[in-house]
């Protein structure tokens, strides 16, 4: 496996993002309506990675810098977006490897906490994040009022971000 910084505008990133959206439709009945722009993931304010097995893109994820808002986000937060592993490559530790690299790069860019929004229909994602030290935080973002929304965070330094 090779993890490459590609940017969110890369064709492989766009293909994987479309697969993520299909996954959301299967699990929730609709895609994620959160607005994302390739510029959100440009260093130093963000980053987007793709994991490849050979020449085949099989996993992705990114982070984007966030600012404090009335819904619990803080200056210094990095928001994870589009974490995904194609079904045929699951169970190989790819999500954990991508997550680790995203955490490393966000911390190196001066971010102090990493946050994310997932949902009740993604128990494997919740299990991954929990096993990596993420804990519940105040709900934020477009789906903060949705009962299936779960928001998690982790302070850089290892403890969960309450």
């Amino acid at each position: 496996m090779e993890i490459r910084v590609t940017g969110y505008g890369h064709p492989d990133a766009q293909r994987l993002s479309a697969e993520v959206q299909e996954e959301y439709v299967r699990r929730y009945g609709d895609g994620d309506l959160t607005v994302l722009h390739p510029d959100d993931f440009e260093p130093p304010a963000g980053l987007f990675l793709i994991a490849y097995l050979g020449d085949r893109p099989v996993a992705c994820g990114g982070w984007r810098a966030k600012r404090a808002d009335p819904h619990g986000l803080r200056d210094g937060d990095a928001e994870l977006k589009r974490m995904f592993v194609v079904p045929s490559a699951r169970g190989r530790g790819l999500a954990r490897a991508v997550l680790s690299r995203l955490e490393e790069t966000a911390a190196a860019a001066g971010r102090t906490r990493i946050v994310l929004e997932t949902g009740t229909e993604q128990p494997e994602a919740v299990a991954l994040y929990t096993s990596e030290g993420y804990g519940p935080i105040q709900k934020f973002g477009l789906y903060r009022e949705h009962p299936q929304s779960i928001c998690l965070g982790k302070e850089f330094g290892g403890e969960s971000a309450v």
Side-chain angles (χ1 to χ4, degrees):
M1 177 199 56
E2 177 187 2
I3 297 177
R4 301 179 200 159
V5 176
T6 63
Y8 188 65
H10 189 280
D12 290 341
Q14 291 301 300
R15 276 193 296 278
L16 288 170
S17 187
E19 286 189 53
V20 172
Q21 293 288 21
E22 291 171 12
E23 185 87 14
Y24 295 152
V25 169
R26 281 193 295 280
R27 293 182 188 225
Y28 298 100
D30 201 359
D32 179 0
L33 301 177
T34 304
V35 175
L36 299 180
H37 190 277
D39 291 348
D40 294 342
F41 300 95
E42 288 297 317
L47 190 80
F48 199 85
L49 306 171
I50 298 179
Y52 290 85
L53 290 177
D55 289 334
R56 190 171 65 115
V58 294
C60 63
W63 65 266
R64 61 183 181 168
K66 300 302 282 187
R67 293 179 184 246
D69 75 3
H71 306 291
L73 290 178
R74 306 178 195 158
D75 287 337
D77 282 350
E79 180 189 19
L80 282 180
K81 293 302 293 179
R82 298 298 184 257
M83 283 286 297
F84 179 69
V85 178
V86 298
S88 64
R90 291 180 183 163
R92 300 180 189 191
L94 298 173
R96 199 171 300 275
V98 168
L99 180 61
S100 177
R101 184 75 57 85
L102 291 171
E103 289 176 349
E104 289 168 9
T105 59
R111 301 285 100 194
T112 56
R113 180 175 76 153
I114 196 154
V115 299
L116 64 98
E117 191 264 340
T118 187
T120 58
E121 302 306 306
Q122 295 168 269
E124 59 284 290
V126 174
L128 168 69
Y129 297 127
T130 301
S131 75
E132 290 294 323
Y134 288 73
I137 60 169
Q138 181 178 337
K139 286 185 173 185
F140 67 91
L142 182 64
Y143 297 100
R144 69 183 170 276
E145 302 294 330
H146 199 285
Q148 291 178 304
S149 173
I150 298 171
C151 290
L152 302 171
K154 179 179 170 181
E155 300 282 346
F156 289 122
E159 64 278 5
S160 65
V162 178

